[in-house]
Amino acid sequence: MQEFISRNREALAVVLYGASSVASLLLALTVDNHGVVALGAVWQPVLVLLALRLVTHRLYRLTTSRWRFVGIADVLRLVYSTSVATVVFAALNATGVLGVELAWTVVGLEWVLSIFMTSGLWITYRSLFEHFRRGAEGVGIGLARRTIIIGAGEAGNLLAREIIRTEPGMTLVGFLDDDPHKAGTYVQGLRVFGRIDDLTRILKEYALQRVIIAIPSLGTEGFRRIVQACESSDVEYRVLPGIKEVLGGNVSVRQLRRVTIEDILGREPVSVELPELSRELEGATVVVTGAGGSIGSELARQLAANQPTRLILLDKAESDLFFTELEIRRRHPELSVRAVIGDVCDRRRMGTMIREEGVTHLYHAAAYKHVPLMEENVSEAIRNNVDGTRVLLEEAGRAGLRSFVLISTDKAVRPANVMGATKRLCEVLLLAAAKRHRATRYTAVRFGNVLGSNGSVVQVFRRQLETGVLTVTHPDITRYFMTVGEAVQLVLLASTLPEVRGRIVMLEMGEPVRIMELAQNMIRLSGLVEGRDVRIRISGLRPGEKLHEELVAPFETTETTQNGKIQLVSTEAASASILARCDELIDLAAAGRDDEARELLRVMTDWEGDDGDAEADSDLDRAGAAIGVQAAASNGVARAQAPAGS
């Protein structure tokens, strides 16, 4: 039967539309004549109207419409088609061509009845189709999962329509939305019960089994409220993707995903438009170092979207660089892109590249950033981070680049480890270069850990979940977090502000996150139970690891910029003696004299002592241990990269 309907869909539509038109005219005549119709006298008007309707329905593509997918656009086409045919029919009736002059009330009533009868055909077909489809797939009404949608806006409406049409395994019960004007209204025939705060009550009252979050702009506090309510009621929950899919009308049940730790970690969504950057990059050649890493690759993506003339991707890790280049070329085929395998410490190669390519802007994201690794590889950390940055700063100044942006870290504030000390020295070198090379706008951007970056604590925890043991270095350890997209947006925005010339910039990081809570949240979001499925072990702070990071040192002050998420940092100027000893430091690193290099680095950057760590270890002894591995307290700003250009 289904195959017959599929093969003859258009012919069946013609028959049903014709029957609807004939029936609507006869019914209108019956009403107008008090139930009496002389069929022999009206056959000619019936045939004329039938012909007109079939012609206009064909012209408006109604005969090829899929009835199970009809919507507002189809109803409008039905109204247009029916109206055109009725206008022509009325004109013929007025001229007497029909052989019988029909009353105008008959013509008008037939128009209304035809629209309603055809719409009724569509609704009946769709209802029967969905009913039999549920039966064919073995999902009865009692077996379908009772579901509520959080968000009665555009996303919720699109999702509800998709579920009603295509998902027999779900029975929608209604909506919740914090907009007080929506309470008590209906969307897709389903009631908006009230606010999100009513979720716990609604879950019990309606015996719900699934919650779908369909508010793309929902903040982290909203996610926490919903997750807490669902977990306390043992109800499954899912979330729709971002706003781009909603704006494009591409909302689908297949896009539903689990709530992730990024959703509830405390970073509110941001939307930063950068017309200033697009104007600045007009005719520009831009270099991104560390382009294969987490921050570097995101810089490349967002810079490419702002349409520079040429984009050069520099890294020493060939595989990561290859995939970044491949993605940029696919997304922006019109953009001139070059991938360069190189070491940022190679002064000759860097200088040649900058001059021959006519580079105007340089974003320096290449660095070693993992704290424990750098404690064991002091010379490489100094060579890659300090010498590599110094080479680029000097070559950029000599070539007169318009802009140089250094990606820094919160670990540069009162450093307590090799990595943080090298990045602090990079900030000092940049401030000195800004005074020597006035033509170039030098800026250092300081921020904390990046969610989901290669080697970050979130990735480490996800791998450890498979083993049944998560490791946290200390029960009270905290870190600042932001998403990679947000970090890069703010870095690019900061680079366009006139007041950042020769300054260190700090990004607003929100409140620090306790890593213990992060681990517990990830266990719950994975559908596991702490203590039963997964345990947490306290492993102790590692060498160079701080209990709490800072964004500003006590001797530094901050100034607000025109953007509330970006602040200027005023810090002490470096003495000439510190700058003079850079050569000595780099020579020690080149000779592999780690202990001497570490001590000199400590002196040059006022490296903090280990008192805080000792106190933390004392607390740890009192707290006892439960479980762990590394908490990846590394900056998270990028992956553990290959030397120099990564």
Side-chain angles (χ1 to χ4, degrees):
M1 182 65 175
Q2 184 176 358
E3 186 178 349
F4 173 79
I5 293 175
S6 298
R7 284 202 314 265
N8 300 280
R9 180 179 290 110
E10 186 172 358
L12 290 171
V14 168
V15 171
L16 291 172
Y17 286 146
S20 174
S21 296
V22 171
S24 62
L25 179 57
L26 293 177
L27 183 57
L29 287 167
T30 301
V31 172
D32 189 65
N33 290 281
H34 307 289
V36 179
V37 177
L39 295 178
V42 297
W43 66 267
Q44 191 171 346
V46 169
L47 291 179
V48 171
L49 179 62
L50 176 62
L52 289 173
R53 282 282 157 72
L54 294 180
V55 169
T56 56
H57 282 5
R58 181 64 183 264
L59 290 175
Y60 280 91
R61 304 186 304 280
L62 292 179
T63 56
T64 54
S65 294
R66 299 291 302 276
W67 288 10
R68 57 173 291 206
F69 298 118
V70 291
I72 294 176
D74 299 285
V75 174
L76 289 176
R77 286 191 291 117
L78 171 63
V79 172
Y80 296 151
S81 175
T82 306
S83 299
V84 169
T86 298
V87 168
V88 175
F89 183 73
L92 294 175
N93 181 55
T95 59
V97 174
L98 300 180
V100 177
E101 185 175 354
L102 303 177
W104 290 109
T105 53
V106 172
V107 176
L109 183 58
E110 187 281 329
W111 175 78
V112 173
L113 290 173
S114 183
I115 292 174
F116 275 95
M117 291 181 71
T118 304
S119 299
L121 279 174
W122 290 348
I123 293 171
T124 301
Y125 175 85
R126 195 163 125 182
S127 299
L128 290 173
F129 179 88
E130 291 171 359
H131 173 77
F132 286 113
R133 182 170 179 267
R134 287 179 182 271
E137 295 190 11
V139 181
I141 296 198
L143 298 177
R145 298 179 69 82
R146 294 175 60 78
T147 303
I148 192 168
I149 295 177
I150 307 293
E154 182 66 22
N157 173 60
L158 292 173
L159 180 62
R161 187 170 63 186
E162 174 80 4
I163 290 173
I164 292 170
R165 287 180 176 178
T166 66
E167 290 298 318
M170 277 191 273
T171 297
L172 283 183
V173 175
F175 295 84
L176 289 177
D177 198 292
D178 276 344
D179 185 347
H181 299 294
K182 294 178 181 176
T185 62
Y186 286 78
V187 177
Q188 296 289 332
L190 301 167
R191 185 183 175 191
V192 180
F193 292 110
R195 301 172 60 85
I196 297 176
D197 288 337
D198 300 322
L199 179 59
T200 301
R201 176 181 60 82
I202 296 296
L203 289 175
K204 295 178 180 178
E205 187 174 333
Y206 291 89
L208 297 175
Q209 299 165 291
R210 176 178 290 171
V211 171
I212 298 177
I213 304 169
I215 307 178
S217 59
L218 182 66
T220 54
E221 182 56 35
F223 270 110
R224 290 195 187 104
R225 289 156 55 201
I226 294 170
V227 168
Q228 184 177 8
C230 291
E231 288 182 344
S232 64
S233 302
D234 195 24
V235 172
E236 176 186 322
Y237 49 94
R238 291 289 186 271
V239 63
L240 265 181
I243 191 67
K244 290 182 179 178
E245 289 81 359
V246 176
L247 292 177
N250 301 318
V251 173
S252 168
V253 176
R254 293 185 298 274
Q255 294 173 319
L256 293 177
R257 60 169 175 81
R258 288 182 177 274
V259 175
T260 66
I261 194 65
E262 289 85 354
D263 293 321
I264 63 172
L265 256 184
R267 296 304 304 175
E268 297 293 338
V270 297
S271 178
V272 180
E273 297 179 358
L274 300 174
E276 305 92 338
L277 182 63
S278 295
R279 288 193 294 269
E280 180 170 331
L281 295 183
E282 188 174 346
T285 296
V286 182
V287 171
V288 177
T289 71
S294 303
I295 289 289
S297 60
E298 184 64 21
L299 275 167
R301 293 183 194 99
Q302 295 196 27
L303 284 165
N306 282 279
Q307 301 176 331
T309 298
R310 187 161 170 76
L311 181 61
I312 299 173
L313 310 174
L314 174 69
D315 207 307
K316 199 170 182 179
E318 60 173 342
S319 296
D320 294 330
L321 181 62
F322 170 77
F323 287 111
T324 300
E325 180 196 18
L326 201 65
E327 178 184 349
I328 298 300
R329 289 189 183 279
R330 177 178 58 81
R331 291 187 177 186
H332 305 278
E334 75 291 347
L335 178 63
S336 174
V337 181
R338 181 189 174 195
V340 176
I341 299 291
D343 186 336
V344 294
C345 297
D346 187 340
R347 182 181 297 274
R348 181 176 170 183
R349 180 153 169 71
M350 293 300 101
T352 299
M353 178 193 69
I354 288 173
R355 289 190 300 273
E356 291 185 354
E357 294 287 352
V359 176
T360 57
H361 297 69
L362 194 150
Y363 293 84
H364 182 33
Y368 284 132
K369 301 181 178 75
H370 291 271
V371 171
L373 285 175
M374 295 309 101
E375 291 300 304
E376 300 297 326
N377 297 273
V378 179
S379 294
E380 277 303 302
I382 293 171
R383 192 187 79 86
N384 190 61
N385 293 3
V386 179
D387 192 28
T389 299
R390 187 176 69 160
V391 165
L392 291 173
L393 287 169
E394 293 174 355
E395 294 303 321
R398 287 173 186 160
L401 267 64
R402 278 190 267 167
S403 174
F404 184 107
V405 178
L406 168 69
I407 303 299
S408 190
T409 168
D410 56 358
K411 291 172 177 58
V413 180
R414 293 207 294 177
N417 49 62
V418 170
M419 192 281 283
T422 60
K423 295 301 286 183
R424 172 57 185 161
L425 195 50
C426 289
E427 291 183 350
V428 170
L429 290 172
L430 179 135
L431 296 178
K435 293 181 178 180
R436 291 197 309 273
H437 305 287
R438 300 285 184 177
T440 300
R441 185 175 67 241
Y442 289 98
T443 307
V445 184
R446 183 189 291 172
F447 53 94
N449 293 23
V450 173
L451 289 174
S453 63
N454 297 321
S456 73
V457 63
V458 173
Q459 281 199 345
V460 171
F461 281 168
R462 281 175 178 153
R463 293 181 181 180
Q464 291 179 347
L465 282 171
E466 299 175 3
T467 70
V469 177
L470 298 189
T471 56
V472 176
T473 57
H474 192 281
D476 297 322
I477 192 169
T478 63
R479 288 295 179 264
Y480 289 100
F481 287 97
M482 72 192 323
T483 64
V484 62
E486 179 185 12
V488 168
Q489 281 182 336
L490 292 174
V491 165
L492 295 177
L493 178 61
S495 71
T496 67
L497 301 178
E499 60 264 42
V500 303
R501 178 183 290 271
R503 302 293 296 273
I504 297 173
V505 172
M506 179 188 72
L507 303 185
E508 186 277 318
M509 295 295 301
E511 294 299 318
V513 176
R514 287 186 67 231
I515 302 302
M516 177 63 78
E517 291 182 3
L518 175 64
Q520 293 167 339
N521 283 331
M522 289 194 67
I523 292 171
R524 289 200 305 271
L525 292 175
S526 300
L528 304 173
V529 177
E530 181 185 349
R532 185 191 70 187
D533 305 312
V534 180
R535 59 195 183 96
I536 299 175
R537 179 169 64 86
I538 306 299
S539 60
L541 290 174
R542 297 165 296 174
E545 188 171 33
K546 297 169 72 173
L547 193 59
H548 307 293
E549 299 290 359
E550 303 168 274
L551 296 174
V552 182
F555 56 83
E556 295 178 329
T557 59
T558 61
E559 306 169 39
T560 303
T561 67
Q562 55 189 276
N563 186 291
K565 290 182 175 288
I566 300 171
Q567 291 186 314
L568 301 178
V569 178
S570 296
T571 189
E572 295 176 352
S575 66
S577 61
I578 291 179
L579 297 174
R581 301 194 74 177
C582 276
D583 286 334
E584 180 184 352
L585 177 68
I586 292 168
D587 287 342
L588 288 172
R593 294 157 65 178
D594 279 14
D595 291 340
E596 295 173 65
R598 184 195 301 268
E599 185 58 35
L600 180 54
L601 185 63
R602 182 190 299 269
V603 172
M604 294 174 69
T605 59
D606 293 326
W607 190 327
E608 290 287 308
D610 297 330
D611 295 342
D613 293 353
E615 180 182 348
D617 286 337
S618 176
D619 291 341
L620 181 59
D621 292 338
R622 290 192 295 269
I627 322 187
V629 162
Q630 60 169 330
S634 69
N635 184 354
V637 171
R639 74 223 187 299
Q641 301 174 349
S646 57

